Amino acid sequence: MSTIKVYAVMIAAATIGFTACEKKLELVNPNAPTSASFWKTADDAVKGVNAAYSSLIIDGSYMRSTPLMMDTRGDDAKSNSPWLQMYNTGKFALNTADGAIYGWSYGAFYEGVSKANQVLHYVPQIEMDAELKNRILGQAHFLRGLYFFHLANFWGNVAYPTELPASKVAYYMVQETPEAGWAKAMADFDAAAGLLPVSYDGVHGPDQGNKGRATKGAALAYLGKAQLFNKLWPEAAASFKAVIDLGIYDLMDNYRDNFRENSENNIESIFEVQFDGSVGGTELGWGGTPSSSWGKYSARAITYGPRGFGFVDVQPTRAAFNAFNEEKTVDGKEDPRLRATMFFNAPGVTLYGQEFSVAYANNPADLNDLFVRKYQNDETKPNEFDWRSGMNERLLRYADVLLMYAEALNETGATAEAYQWIKLVRDRVGLPDLSDTKPAMTQAQMREQIAHERLLELSLEGKRFDDINRWGWLKDPVKLAMLKERDPEFNSYQPGREYFPIPQSEIEINKGWIQNSSY
């Protein structure tokens, strides 16, 4: 199968100035690529949009930092990392003096915005096949929307540029509201949905058969997700129903297949970031100027890996473990998602070819601890210490869409209709039908049930804190007390720290910018 190839496109002008006798001579290297000279052909357009994808695979985004930022703040995950910045991320204890991790993520997303903006600015001027041009523009809209989504969700009060800077003065960005960011993200996803194909299998051009490119389904699903985050319930329900009505997505029979390298880009996957252990060079893409020596690896596996097999920077909470054990399957067995989600001491649990009880026999603390299994290469590697995982990051799965659709229906008052979509997710793992066990739930009861269903289905996939935040639990004294009991990391939460700090360099460079509250 062909997958998207990510190119590094460097578009810069080299200018040397000499000053003598109050005269200035500017010499421009005629061989250096510039924004004006690069965008000429259809091939340039393809390379340009591929470069916009490359911001997804560097350390600041999904290679490592973004999953850390999303996971550690939920009540399904905790961090006892020796690296203080990782340790503090999940404890809402970051400050502006150290921009590691959250600052790298901030930079990665703006890098992606810049690349997408170049595509949207220059590609319309290129004479090329109209359908290919639409697909390229659609992908640029989708990617910019995705980067805006993260910027609005993580920082809120930042800039959301949609045009290339016209001058040096324009490099100083205007601080905007979160509402402005969400509006621009939704506009981009809507535009992308109108331009993108359902699949690349039937298209004609250099992108034919490519896996990993944004599709109509991905654009509609993210549009619905952004609408859901903004409590636009009817609109979100319509967007999710449009995804379902495409008729091309389904749930994998085996839940675990969503987190194996040999089952990537499957029928349940709506959008995933493409990593590959066999592509590119041998160095890790930590960030900075892209290099041909970079591999296309993820460092998630080693970062989350269990003790002795990885760095143990992120672990499941006992509360999440207990939630899986609240209910048995119809045949009286354990929810199979538990063993797909975490390693723990129980008969038959193995990790990296070893029995859990044997691997930690001489360490009572680890023997009674919990470790992350999702996105680990435990079936194919002896450990994660080579740093290089080729496993794709599944950003959005069909199961998530089904549960968000159920939520949107419930919030519009169609609680009875929500049951059937939750049932699909529960049927996969053999849990009983809620219509039998909890019939005629009220809207409030269904709201709580969906929160439980999302915890079990999406645990350690970067969804939980977003859910907690958008549901208003941080502002509800009863819910906040529950979170503190489930995960003591919430004890250091302060109002306003649902957002990350804006990197101090941005505050200093862009005059008039105001730091997010409580920092």
Side-chain angles (χ1 to χ4, degrees):
M1 274 183 198
S2 177
T3 57
I4 178 175
K5 295 181 179 178
V6 178
Y7 292 85
V9 178
M10 299 179 2
I11 306 166
T15 304
I16 305 172
F18 297 90
T19 304
C21 301
E22 299 183 351
K23 292 183 179 181
K24 185 175 181 181
L25 174 65
E26 291 188 349
L27 301 178
V28 178
N29 181 354
N31 298 313
T34 68
S35 297
S37 66
F38 173 78
W39 303 92
K40 300 296 184 184
T41 67
D43 184 58
D44 297 334
V46 172
K47 289 179 178 178
V49 78
N50 287 356
Y53 282 94
S54 71
S55 296
L56 292 172
I57 64 171
I58 58 177
D59 185 26
S61 55
Y62 281 94
M63 177 184 151
R64 184 178 61 162
S65 295
T66 295
L68 276 167
M69 293 165 63
M70 297 173 74
D71 278 322
T72 55
R73 298 196 299 169
D75 62 341
D76 56 337
K78 63 180 182 179
S79 177
N80 288 311
S81 174
W83 184 3
L84 196 60
Q85 197 72 346
M86 278 190 191
Y87 179 84
N88 283 332
T89 295
K91 295 172 179 60
F92 308 93
L94 295 173
N95 58 59
T96 59
D98 186 351
I101 301 179
Y102 77 87
W104 303 338
S105 182
Y106 183 93
F109 296 143
Y110 276 113
E111 176 186 302
V113 169
S114 174
K115 291 174 180 177
N117 278 342
Q118 290 185 60
V119 174
L120 293 168
H121 180 84
Y122 289 107
V123 169
Q125 305 167 29
I126 298 175
E127 291 188 12
M128 56 185 291
D129 178 78
E131 292 186 0
L132 176 60
K133 178 183 285 189
N134 281 342
R135 293 196 298 273
I136 288 171
L137 294 174
Q139 290 171 80
H141 275 295
F142 174 84
L143 290 168
R144 188 174 67 181
L146 180 58
Y147 297 130
F148 282 164
F149 183 104
H150 283 310
L151 288 166
N153 196 35
F154 284 169
W155 291 280
N157 303 288
V158 292
Y160 301 94
T162 57
E163 302 288 342
L164 296 183
S167 66
K168 288 184 179 180
V169 174
Y171 278 99
Y172 298 97
M173 295 288 100
V174 175
Q175 191 172 25
E176 300 178 70
T177 64
E179 291 77 17
W182 285 115
K184 290 182 181 182
M186 287 186 276
D188 270 331
F189 292 139
D190 187 51
L195 293 167
L196 290 172
V198 171
S199 142
Y200 289 81
D201 291 341
V203 305
H204 298 284
D207 53 350
Q208 184 180 29
N210 283 180
K211 303 294 182 183
R213 293 190 183 276
T215 61
K216 179 184 289 291
L220 287 169
Y222 262 102
L223 174 60
K225 185 172 180 177
Q227 290 164 336
L228 193 79
F229 274 41
N230 286 273
K231 298 181 172 24
L232 301 172
W233 310 119
E235 295 87 345
S239 295
F240 294 135
K241 187 60 165 61
V243 175
I244 294 168
D245 288 346
L246 290 175
I248 61 170
Y249 301 110
D250 203 350
L251 300 180
M252 295 291 287
D253 291 335
N254 186 345
Y255 177 79
R256 171 71 180 149
D257 282 340
N258 289 300
F259 313 102
R260 289 188 170 109
E261 189 172 356
N262 63 4
S263 52
E264 296 171 339
N265 300 307
N266 59 50
I267 197 169
E268 187 168 343
S269 179
I270 294 178
F271 187 71
E272 58 190 76
V273 177
Q274 308 292 306
F275 292 103
D276 196 321
S278 62
V279 174
T282 58
E283 297 178 11
L284 291 163
W286 295 115
T289 303
S291 167
S292 60
S293 65
W294 286 4
K296 306 299 183 283
Y297 312 116
S298 167
R300 176 199 250 269
I302 189 171
T303 303
Y304 287 53
R307 201 173 327 279
F309 306 93
F311 289 161
V312 212
D313 288 310
V314 180
Q315 291 179 261
T317 60
R318 183 62 59 175
F321 176 84
N322 292 340
F324 280 101
N325 289 294
E326 290 179 13
E327 190 177 10
K328 296 294 185 182
T329 64
V330 291
D331 52 0
K333 295 181 180 179
E334 169 189 282
D335 187 330
R337 293 174 295 190
L338 175 57
R339 297 193 185 203
T341 299
M342 58 186 82
F343 297 112
F344 57 97
N345 188 10
V349 174
T350 62
L351 68 172
Y352 299 89
Q354 300 182 44
E355 290 284 339
F356 189 102
S357 58
V358 174
Y360 298 121
N362 298 321
N363 190 328
D366 288 341
L367 190 62
N368 295 292
D369 213 342
L370 305 169
F371 302 104
V372 176
R373 188 182 187 193
K374 280 185 178 177
Y375 292 109
Q376 297 298 306
N377 298 284
D378 60 289
E379 297 168 327
T380 58
K381 288 184 174 185
N383 56 59
E384 303 292 351
F385 289 120
D386 66 354
W387 283 85
R388 297 173 172 87
S389 174
M391 196 178 299
N392 289 359
E393 185 86 14
R394 280 74 160 180
L395 268 60
L396 193 54
R397 297 192 284 115
Y398 188 54
D400 191 2
V401 166
L402 294 175
L403 292 176
M404 288 192 290
Y405 183 44
E407 181 179 346
L409 288 172
N410 184 53
E411 295 300 335
T412 61
T415 301
E417 294 180 41
Y419 277 91
Q420 62 182 305
W421 306 105
I422 300 172
K423 183 178 185 299
L424 295 175
V425 177
R426 290 171 62 88
D427 280 353
R428 190 223 324 245
V429 292
L431 291 179
D433 188 347
L434 289 174
S435 296
D436 298 326
T437 60
K438 295 184 178 182
M441 280 189 277
T442 65
Q443 184 184 58
Q445 290 171 331
M446 178 62 81
R447 190 178 292 133
E448 292 297 311
Q449 185 66 38
I450 289 171
H452 177 71
E453 300 294 339
R454 289 185 62 78
L455 172 61
L456 301 188
E457 178 65 27
L458 302 163
S459 192
L460 296 164
E461 294 182 51
K463 306 294 189 293
R464 183 62 174 176
F465 178 76
D466 284 347
D467 287 346
I468 287 168
N469 186 27
R470 66 188 179 82
W471 290 331
W473 286 12
L474 297 172
K475 297 177 181 178
D476 181 332
V478 175
K479 290 292 188 182
L480 185 57
M482 180 200 72
L483 290 170
K484 291 178 179 179
E485 182 179 353
R486 289 173 54 86
D487 182 359
E489 291 179 316
F490 281 89
N491 285 320
S492 50
Y493 168 75
Q494 301 174 43
R497 295 213 167 187
E498 56 271 24
Y499 288 121
F500 288 99
I502 299 171
Q504 187 60 32
S505 59
E506 290 295 284
I507 301 295
E508 294 170 355
I509 290 171
N510 296 296
K511 295 182 179 181
W513 275 39
I514 299 172
Q515 181 60 266
N516 284 332
S517 63
S518 86
Y519 291 105

